[in-house]
């Protein structure tokens, strides 16, 4: 700070600025960690991470196979067979009914479509696809053809990770596979996040839907994808997705239609209507917050009213953003954890540096592995559920646990992360559409999760729309 101050001292003087070289001090507190429950007990938490136990709701994968892209002189077939044995052993320990790997086939890049056609006829529960690198060009091709055309669940794995596989990697991979097949690994009791003496006590005694919106601008001219992730169980462990294009980069213009689809899915899966909705959305310009909130809440309530006259669930509207320059460090050495000397998971700051006119707070819900952790800034802009500060902070922290892709707390609520994954999948499905054809792009996105067109390998429609069993669960894990 002293070096930079000397460097820009003249500029500061010309502008009439003075820069304090001491950090702002603010009081913070660390929330109590929730219990992450598995089938055989609660996991032991340590610095925001834990070792997984037996899955609460294990799925069945009796028939599965493996394909790898044969692109090098090295033949990984034997290593894949060894890995399949390890995966099966760990799966049984986690409570899954997991069969033997039925085949390990190597195919050339041009043969992958024909092989997926053949694999579909084998009636597999899922297909393990070993690819050469994380951002391989074949990943979107495999996902688009397997899911849009064949209704075939796939799980991709990078060859480098397979070569150094260990039980921990197998558990994380099985958690994803289990979620794709309709199970879930663990849960956090959200009722414990609400203070007993608060006005919101009893919130989770009635059906509650946790939702998150993500708006993602793509390379296609003038088109933006909006995805909505919605929970359908009492502890927000399972989600389904709705996707639509939107004409505005900061607002989901088809939110009313998306909300109706989410409410219908919730009713089909639970035979109940949510009496409360906790709605998260990514950050926006502070000057636009009130306007966008009004538009989106109006769209939500209109969707509810059109489904049933007089249906008016309580809505809590929360903006969560990491697009800010605030970072935290502790003056207490015992709270400086890891290489980055980060604060413990669950650290909350809600005084000194927060707004005077808004209900907001900073929550650092994950303990950073590398570098300085970025806290998430939460704004509670509308609250029919009457959450007090402790309940709101606890609820946001609880919702950062139980993510299906890792055994750690994450930096934002799970629903927001799943909505981001759905946006990424939508991009992968639409990479073959030229930018000059926005109508085809819009039609594909708007139909991709509720119903689907039968499409051939080149993306051409054939036949009528049909329902897909894949799209009833959050298979983007």
């Amino acid at each position: 700070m002293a070096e930079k101050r000397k460097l820009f001292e003249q500029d500061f003087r010309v502008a009439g600025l003075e820069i304090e070289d001491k950090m702002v001090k603010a009081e913070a507190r660390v929330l109590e960690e929730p219990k992450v429950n598995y089938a055989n007990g609660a996991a032991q938490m340590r610095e925001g991470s834990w070792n997984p136990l037996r899955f609460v709701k294990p799925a069945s994968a009796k028939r599965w196979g493996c394909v790898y892209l044969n692109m090098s002189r090295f033949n990984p077939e034997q290593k894949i067979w060894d890995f399949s044995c390890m995966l099966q052993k760990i799966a049984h320990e986690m409570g899954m009914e997991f069969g033997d790997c039925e085949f390990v086939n190597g195919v050339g890049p041009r043969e992958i479509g024909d092989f997926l056609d053949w694999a579909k006829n084998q009636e597999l529960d899922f297909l393990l696809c070993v690819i050469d690198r994380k951002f391989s060009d074949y990943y979107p091709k495999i996902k688009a053809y397997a899911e849009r055309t064949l209704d075939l669940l796939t799980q991709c794995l990078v060859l480098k990770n397979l070569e150094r596989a260990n039980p921990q990697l197998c558990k994380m991979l099985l958690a994803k596979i289990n979620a794709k097949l309709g199970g879930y690994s663990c849960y956090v009791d959200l009722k414990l996040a609400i203070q007993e003496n608060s006005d919101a006590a009893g919130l989770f005694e009635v059906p509650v839907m946790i939702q998150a919106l993500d708006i993602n601008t793509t390379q296609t001219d003038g088109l933006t994808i909006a995805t909505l992730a919605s929970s359908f169980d009492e502890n927000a462990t399972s989600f389904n997705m709705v996707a639509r294009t939107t004409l505005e980069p900061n607002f989901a213009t088809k939110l009313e239609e998306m909300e109706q689809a989410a409410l219908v899915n919730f009713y089909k899966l639970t035979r109940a209507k949510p009496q409360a909705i906790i709605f998260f959305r990514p950050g926006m310009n502070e000057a636009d917050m009130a306007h966008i909130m009004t538009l989106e809440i109006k769209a939500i309530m209109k969707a509810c009213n059109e489904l049933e006259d007089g249906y008016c669930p309580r809505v809590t509207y929360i903006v969560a953003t990491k697009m800010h320059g605030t970072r935290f460090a502790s003056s207490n050495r015992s709270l400086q954890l890891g290489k980055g000397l980060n604060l413990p998971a669950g650290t909350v700051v809600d005084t000194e540096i927060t707004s005077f006119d808004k209900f907001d707070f900073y929550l650092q819900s994950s303990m950073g592995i590398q570098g300085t952790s970025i806290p998430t800034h939460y704004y509670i802009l509308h609250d029919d559920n009457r959450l007090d500060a402790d309940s709101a902070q606890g609820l946001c922290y609880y919702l950062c646990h139980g993510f299906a892709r890792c055994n750690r707390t994450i930096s934002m609520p799970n629903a927001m992360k799943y909505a981001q994954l759905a946006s990424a999948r939508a991009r992968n499905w639409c990479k073959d559409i030229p930018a000059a054809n926005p109508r085809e792009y819009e039609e594909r996105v708007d139909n991709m999760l509720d119903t689907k067109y039968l499409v051939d390998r080149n993306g051409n429609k054939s036949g009528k729309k049909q329902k897909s069993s894949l799209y009833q669960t959050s298979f983007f894990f």
Side-chain angles (χ1 to χ4, degrees):
M1 180 64 197
E3 290 177 3
K4 297 298 180 185
R5 188 172 184 173
K6 289 179 182 178
L7 188 63
F8 295 103
E9 190 172 5
Q10 185 177 354
D11 296 329
F12 290 157
R13 194 182 302 115
V14 170
L17 295 175
E18 284 191 22
I19 304 298
E20 177 62 58
D21 58 359
K22 295 181 180 178
M23 295 184 184
V24 175
K25 290 187 178 180
E27 291 186 359
R29 60 196 181 95
V30 181
L31 301 178
E32 185 178 352
E33 293 176 332
K35 289 183 178 180
V36 180
N37 300 297
Y38 285 84
N40 55 341
Q44 186 68 36
M45 300 282 288
R46 183 176 179 273
E47 296 181 357
S49 63
W50 62 88
N51 189 39
L53 305 177
R54 289 176 67 88
F55 295 154
V56 175
K57 184 183 176 184
S60 173
K62 297 179 181 179
R63 303 197 67 209
W64 65 285
C66 178
V67 60
Y68 64 92
L69 292 178
N70 196 3
M71 300 178 65
S72 65
R73 296 177 184 176
F74 171 67
N75 186 350
E77 184 171 342
Q78 187 54 51
K79 288 199 172 186
I80 293 175
W81 279 115
D82 295 340
F83 172 76
S84 71
C85 294
M86 184 192 301
L87 194 67
Q88 185 184 34
K89 178 184 175 184
I90 300 296
H92 291 158
E93 292 176 4
M94 307 306 285
M96 293 183 71
E97 187 177 355
F98 210 81
D100 295 322
C101 179
E102 301 206 354
F103 56 83
V104 174
N105 286 17
V107 299
R110 295 182 180 179
E111 302 166 345
I112 187 65
D114 293 329
F115 182 83
L116 290 175
D117 288 332
W118 175 84
K120 172 62 178 178
N121 295 328
Q122 305 306 305
E123 298 182 352
L124 303 176
D125 292 312
F126 78 95
L127 178 67
L128 181 66
C129 303
V130 180
I131 56 179
D132 55 338
R133 60 185 187 280
K134 185 174 182 179
F135 299 106
S136 171
D137 293 337
Y138 298 101
Y139 177 84
K141 294 177 182 178
I142 290 171
K143 291 295 182 183
Y145 187 56
E147 293 169 353
R148 288 178 52 238
T149 302
L150 302 176
D151 276 6
L152 175 64
L153 278 176
T154 57
Q155 173 61 56
C156 290
L157 179 64
V158 177
L159 179 60
K160 181 175 68 173
N161 292 336
L162 183 143
E163 291 174 347
R164 58 185 185 188
N166 55 30
Q168 183 180 3
L169 182 140
C170 289
K171 289 177 181 179
M172 292 177 65
L173 190 69
L174 287 166
K176 292 176 67 176
I177 294 170
N178 188 51
K180 291 179 181 183
L181 294 172
Y184 62 89
S185 306
C186 58
Y187 71 91
V188 173
D189 190 351
L190 297 180
K191 294 176 184 176
L192 302 178
I194 308 300
Q195 300 296 311
E196 293 181 0
N197 56 353
S198 75
D199 292 338
L203 171 62
F204 287 95
E205 299 296 334
V206 298
V208 178
M209 182 164 64
I210 308 293
Q211 291 189 301
L213 179 72
D214 184 71
I215 300 177
N216 187 283
T217 303
T218 64
Q219 295 177 352
T220 305
D221 296 337
L223 283 174
T224 303
I225 295 175
T227 48
L228 184 66
S230 307
S231 68
F232 55 85
D233 65 336
E234 61 179 354
N235 291 310
T237 57
S238 302
F239 289 78
N240 56 47
M241 317 294 176
V242 180
R244 296 289 186 274
T245 51
T246 176
L247 301 177
E248 296 289 336
N250 298 317
F251 168 65
T253 53
K254 298 178 182 177
L255 181 59
E256 181 185 337
E257 184 183 338
M258 297 167 71
E259 187 68 31
Q260 281 190 3
L263 290 167
V264 169
N265 283 337
F266 188 96
Y267 185 79
K268 285 180 178 178
L269 293 164
T270 65
R271 290 299 164 188
K273 294 175 291 187
Q275 301 303 307
I277 296 174
I278 312 294
F279 188 92
F280 291 91
R281 67 108 65 223
M284 62 188 92
N285 191 317
E286 284 198 39
D288 298 330
M289 278 186 179
H291 176 62
I292 292 177
M293 178 198 69
T294 302
L295 292 175
E296 293 184 343
I297 290 181
K298 192 178 292 185
I300 292 170
M301 299 315 298
K302 190 174 180 182
C304 295
N305 218 13
E306 287 192 0
L307 287 175
E308 182 182 333
D309 288 338
Y311 175 47
C312 185
R314 304 186 302 274
V315 176
T316 296
Y317 184 94
I318 304 175
V319 172
T321 180
K322 294 175 69 177
M323 302 296 290
H324 56 78
T326 305
R327 303 291 184 273
F328 296 133
S330 176
S331 57
N332 185 343
R333 288 187 175 274
S334 65
L335 297 178
Q336 299 172 358
L337 306 177
K339 293 180 181 178
L341 303 181
N342 286 300
L343 295 173
T347 301
V348 170
V349 177
D350 57 3
T351 59
E352 302 293 336
I353 60 172
T354 51
S355 304
F356 291 102
D357 59 340
K358 292 185 178 70
F359 181 2
D360 69 322
F361 57 91
Y362 290 90
L363 170 62
Q364 191 164 301
S365 55
S366 63
M367 214 285 283
I369 301 174
Q370 187 175 5
T372 303
S373 297
I374 303 175
T376 302
H377 194 181
Y378 293 88
Y379 296 86
I380 299 179
L381 301 184
H382 179 89
D383 185 21
D384 294 333
N385 292 297
R386 304 179 68 183
L387 295 169
D388 63 308
D390 289 337
S391 298
Q393 293 162 8
L395 178 60
C396 291
Y397 184 42
Y398 274 45
L399 289 172
C400 295
H401 293 73
F403 185 50
R405 300 183 114 195
C406 64
N407 306 315
R408 303 179 64 89
T409 57
I410 58 175
S411 61
M412 63 183 70
N414 296 338
M416 298 189 72
K417 197 69 176 175
Y418 294 143
Q420 289 179 2
L421 292 173
S423 294
R425 184 58 52 85
R427 289 200 309 271
N428 286 333
W429 281 3
C430 298
K431 280 190 174 182
D432 60 324
I433 300 177
N437 191 3
R439 180 168 294 182
E440 172 67 19
Y441 190 96
E442 182 177 1
E443 186 179 12
R444 185 179 297 182
V445 171
D446 287 359
N447 289 286
M448 72 182 225
L449 297 178
D450 305 328
T451 57
K452 77 183 185 80
Y453 284 106
L454 285 175
V455 292
D456 61 23
R457 217 172 293 168
N458 298 319
N460 300 317
K461 282 189 302 185
S462 61
K464 299 179 180 179
K465 286 193 294 184
Q466 66 172 18
K467 283 287 182 182
S468 170
S469 59
L470 287 181
Y471 307 149
Q472 304 307 312
T473 57
S474 45
F475 65 102
F476 303 100
F477 300 145

